């Protein structure tokens, strides 16, 4: 049986206060969220749902903030800031108080966006996101600056990436 590749640092506490850069790809890297035209990202209805779900993360969890993000046609980049113990804003009466990690925050985002997207396209009723996600712990201001710029200018590089992929076909 194949063992899943570990994508997180083994000894790192992903519930600790930090800046985290995440990338999530759509299932099979299918373009679902819109398109890029003249270096401008044009979200479709599904892309708008994903954007709304991303922004609502702060309404669900305490002690997090959202920084720069971009929704591309077939993937998502964003920065999540954990600043203290992450809990639920409206805990259920019988819920056990717990501290949430980056993976749980991302899982919540993926679950909510998938549920809401599938409400809009009931015939598809399938997966929106790939199983896991990529993360990078942002270690200093210089790295934060570089990642913010990478996110901001991601759409401007879209046609370059597509051109490279088309050359390989």
């Amino acid at each position: 049986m194949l063992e899943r590749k570990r994508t997180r640092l083994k000894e790192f506490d992903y519930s600790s206060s930090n800046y985290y850069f995440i990338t999530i790809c759509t299932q099979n890297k299918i373009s679902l969220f819109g398109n890029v035209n003249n270096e401008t990202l044009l979200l479709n209805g599904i892309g708008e749902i994903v954007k709304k779900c991303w922004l609502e993360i702060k309404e669900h969890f305490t002690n997090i903030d959202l920084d720069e993000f971009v929704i591309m046609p077939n993937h998502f980049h964003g920065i999540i800031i954990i600043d203290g113990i992450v809990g639920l804003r409206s805990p259920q009466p019988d819920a056990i108080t717990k501290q949430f990690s980056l993976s749980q925050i991302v899982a919540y985002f993926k679950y909510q966006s998938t549920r809401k997207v599938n409400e809009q396209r009931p015939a598809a009723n399938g997966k929106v996101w790939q199983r896991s996600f990529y993360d990078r712990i942002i270690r200093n201001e210089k790295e934060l600056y570089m990642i913010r710029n990478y996110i901001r200018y991601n759409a401007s590089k879209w046609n370059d990436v597509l051109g490279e992929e088309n050359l390989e076909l």
Side-chain angles (χ1 to χ4, degrees), residues 2 6-8 12 45 49 58 75 80 84 110 129 162-163:
L2 290 175
R6 186 186 248 341
T7 58
R8 311 284 166 265
F12 190 82
I49 291 169
K58 286 177 51 174
H75 66 281
I80 295 177
K110 289 169 68 174
W129 304 105
L162 288 181

Side-chain angles (χ1 to χ4, degrees), residues 11 20 27 29 36-37 102 121 136 140 161-162 165:
E11 300 298 323
Y20 301 92
Q27 183 72 19
K29 295 188 180 174
V36 175
N37 188 4
L102 179 66
R121 53 178 203 150
R136 179 171 180 86
N140 56 50
V161 171
L162 288 181
E165 288 177 359

